Amino acid sequence: MPIVTVLQGPRDTELKRDLVARITDAFVDAYKIPADSVQVWIQETAPENWSVSGKLIADAK
Amino acid sequence: MPIVTVLQGPRDTELKRDLVARITDAFVDAYKIPADSVQVWIQETAPENWSVSGKLIADAK
Amino acid sequence: MPIVTVLQGPRDTELKRDLVARITDAFVDAYKIPADSVQVWIQETAPENWSVSGKLIADAK
Amino acid sequence: MPIVTVLQGPRDTELKRDLVARITDAFVDAYKIPADSVQVWIQETAPENWSVSGKLIADAK
Amino acid sequence: MPIVTVLQGPRDTELKRDLVARITDAFVDAYKIPADSVQVWIQETAPENWSVSGKLIADAK
Amino acid sequence: MPIVTVLQGPRDTELKRDLVARITDAFVDAYKIPADSVQVWIQETAPENWSVSGKLIADAK
């Protein structure tokens, strides 16, 4: 019963709907486990709460 | 000093108040550690950011 | 379907067995949800991988 | 630059090799982002450190 | 390519800007790795979603 | 009471000792909070459990 968490910036629901279906398929195909054993939790993070190279994404835009 | 995180959908504060007290008691009773060493962090997740079986909870409603 | 993670130092299995039962009960009692919707994942961390006050627990012993 | 974490029980490297490739493809296909922006971190958890329904997986076997 | 997550209460962007720069420097100085390999993700948590000693921070204020 | 988690590959204890001191200082300096309110948890991950670009680090070596 794998639990997946995704740290990412905000995205449209349509894109997230597609993503979680594909991630779940990845487990079904790679591990041969049923889809209903896979949970995906997306933790959307605002650009002022996330950095690369020590700079907030909000400042890099 | 255990750190507990909870991934869940949104709930009323009254319910969360009850939950964190009970989770903290679980550590005090099972591990015999003081309550002030236990932190609980609830990461509420909107139904469009969480899936089971590859389907967003928002779509399953 | 709440997912609980616990960051803690190593403990005996007997203690962890007791803990996960009590944490699960906390959700059943506070949220009135079935026990089988609750997962607990314990992430045991060695004392050289965890610090308080900027000092490794391994060094504080 | 999404960061994916996977909580799961131990699996063979061959299966994990397949999984991370497929999860990465899921992001490339759904979000149209480059593969090198996707990191996957698998946090394998022993059966005595993980529970469903308040019972350790180690005890359910 | 270390990934850092920070669980904390809400803070002003100016403070977070300073924090992520300093955390990134910590890795550059301690591990001698390039700054662009370090990501920091801040997961701000409201005072009704976080507890110490079994009491919500919102109630302790 | 910020909680920091670090996902990284295995490192020597000496390096981790230095890192956690520096990360803690980052919070003391940026947020003006006491060092003893800061916890750092390092989650070391083996190269067969971590990928970039869909390839396990173990395979990239």
Side-chain angles (χ1 to χ4, degrees), chain D residues 3-5 9 12 16-18 20-21 24 30 34 37 43-48 50-52 54 57-58:
Chain D
I3 305 299
V4 182
T5 60
D12 289 345
K16 293 185 282 194
R17 181 178 291 122
D18 190 18
V20 300
T24 303
S37 68
Q43 298 179 298
E44 285 190 320
T45 304
E48 67 268 20
W50 166 37
S51 75
V52 179
I57 301 299

Side-chain angles (χ1 to χ4, degrees), chain B residues 3 5 8 14-15 22 28 32 44 49-51 59:
Chain B
I3 305 299
T5 59
Q8 65 169 52
E14 183 53 45
L15 292 176
R22 290 176 185 272
V28 171
K32 314 301 179 197
E44 284 189 322
N49 286 337
W50 166 37
S51 75
D59 294 337

Side-chain angles (χ1 to χ4, degrees), chain B residues 2-5 7-8 19 31, chain C residues 2-5 7-8 19 31:
Chain B
I3 305 299
V4 182
T5 59
L7 290 169
Q8 65 169 52
L19 181 76
Y31 286 179
Chain C
I3 305 299
V4 182
T5 60
L7 289 168
Q8 65 169 50
L19 180 75
Y31 286 179

Side-chain angles (χ1 to χ4, degrees), chain A residues 6-13 15-16 19 42-51 57-58 61, chain B residues 48-49, chain D residues 1-3 27 31 33 37, chain E residues 39-41:
Chain A
V6 178
L7 290 168
Q8 65 170 50
R11 302 260 176 181
D12 288 346
T13 297
L15 292 176
K16 294 185 282 194
L19 181 75
I42 298 175
Q43 298 179 297
E44 285 190 321
T45 303
E48 68 267 19
N49 285 338
W50 166 37
S51 75
I57 302 299
K61 287 185 173 174
Chain B
E48 68 267 21
N49 286 337
Chain D
M1 294 176 168
I3 305 299
F27 282 90
Y31 285 180
I33 57 176
S37 68
Chain E
Q39 293 185 29
V40 182
W41 296 76

Side-chain angles (χ1 to χ4, degrees), chain C:
Chain C
M1 293 177 169
I3 305 299
V4 182
T5 60
V6 178
L7 289 168
Q8 65 169 50
R11 301 261 176 180
D12 289 344
T13 298
E14 183 54 43
L15 293 176
K16 293 184 283 194
R17 181 178 291 121
D18 190 17
L19 180 75
V20 300
R22 290 175 185 274
I23 289 178
T24 303
D25 285 347
F27 282 89
V28 171
D29 292 341
Y31 286 179
K32 314 301 180 197
I33 57 176
D36 64 8
S37 69
V38 182
Q39 294 185 30
V40 182
W41 297 76
I42 299 176
Q43 298 178 298
E44 285 189 322
T45 303
E48 67 267 21
N49 285 337
W50 165 37
S51 75
V52 179
S53 293
K55 290 188 186 7
L56 296 177
I57 301 300
D59 294 337
K61 286 187 173 174

